[in-house]
Structures are given as C-alpha cells and as structure tokens.
C-alpha cells in the first residue's frame, strides 16, 4: 500500500509540475511541416508551418520576409487575426486568408479561452530565407 501512495503522489507532483511549466506560456507552438524548393521557379521555395494555439494562446505581432506570400487555413477551432491596419476578424475551421509581402500581422490568437486551435500557413518565398517570422520589437 505505501508503494501505491508514493506512486500516486509522484504522478500528481509530475502532472502539477507539467501544468505549471505551461501555465504562463501562451505563445503558439510553430512547427515547419514541409520545405521544398520549387523546381519550376528558380530561387523560390514552398514551406508549410503548423501553428498550434493552446486555449487563450497567441503569437506576438510580427512580419514575414519581404519575399513571402502566405496562404493560411484554420484546421481546428477559431483564430482571431488582423493584418496591417485592417479590422480584426475571426476565422473558423475551414476558412482561410492570405498575407502579402510586407504585411504586418498585428493580431494572431486563439479565439477561445477553453479550446485549442490549429492553423496551417503555406509560404512561397525566396529559398535563401531562414527566418519565417520576425516578431515586433
């Protein structure tokens, strides 16, 4: 019996520590899921990025490389977005939007405080670009 109590306590402590480690971090998780040079457009590549927002998660205001054209589609949940000085809009799963070279993405956030959200962003940009997102200073 004491072994079970110790194991249960260890599990509870591990779960609590994991929750605390993520509780203050509401930034989106960004993963490059595709990276391919375009064979018929020398010097250009296509990259796809999966952006995962925890409930209440967000990305800080940012821009992308000047060569980047971006097509984004919401895979799960709903995303609040504002580009340049345009109005904030909420995109639901299945809806999409574009960002053009030089655009400023001022709002990019999960519209829900209780449910996760996921977005797939597909970039066409110069192959030499290594940094896809430049956060505001």
């Amino acid at each position: 019996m004491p072994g079970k109590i110790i194991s249960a306590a260890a599990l509870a402590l591990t779960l609590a520590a994991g929750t605390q480690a993520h509780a203050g971090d509401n930034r989106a998780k960004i993963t490059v899921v595709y990276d391919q040079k375009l064979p018929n457009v020398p010097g250009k590549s296509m990259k796809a990025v999966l952006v995962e927002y925890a409930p209440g998660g967000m990305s800080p205001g940012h821009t992308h490389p000047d060569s980047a054209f971006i097509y984004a589609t919401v895979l799960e949940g709903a995303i609040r977005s504002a580009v340049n000085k345009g109005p904030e809009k909420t995109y639901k799963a299945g809806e999409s939007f574009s960002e053009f070279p030089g655009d400023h993405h001022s709002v990019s956030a999960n519209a829900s405080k209780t449910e996760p959200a996921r977005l797939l962003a597909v970039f066409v940009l110069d192959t030499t670009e290594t940094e896809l997102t430049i956060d505001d200073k």
Side-chain angles (χ1 to χ4, degrees), residues 60-63 104 131 133-137:
H62 60 273
T63 57
H104 178 253
E131 193 172 357
T133 303
I134 302 100
D135 290 347
D136 293 350
K137 293 180 183 180

Side-chain angles (χ1 to χ4, degrees), residues 28-109:
K29 177 184 175 189
I30 300 170
T31 307
V32 176
V33 295
Y34 184 81
D35 187 352
Q36 178 65 51
K37 290 181 181 177
L38 296 176
N40 60 339
V41 187
K44 294 290 184 179
S45 289
M46 181 182 292
K47 296 183 182 194
V49 175
L50 179 63
V51 183
E52 299 174 277
Y53 297 91
M58 51 74 68
S59 296
H62 60 273
T63 57
H64 300 286
D66 287 340
S67 67
F69 170 78
I70 302 157
Y71 166 80
T73 188
V74 178
L75 302 174
E76 174 186 6
I79 306 291
R80 291 185 303 109
S81 180
V83 177
N84 297 325
K85 295 183 192 265
E88 188 174 298
K89 182 173 179 190
T90 299
Y91 296 91
K92 297 177 182 173
E95 296 182 321
S96 59
F97 59 92
S98 297
E99 290 182 53
F100 294 89
D103 280 353
H104 178 253
H105 202 164
S106 57
V107 176
S108 183

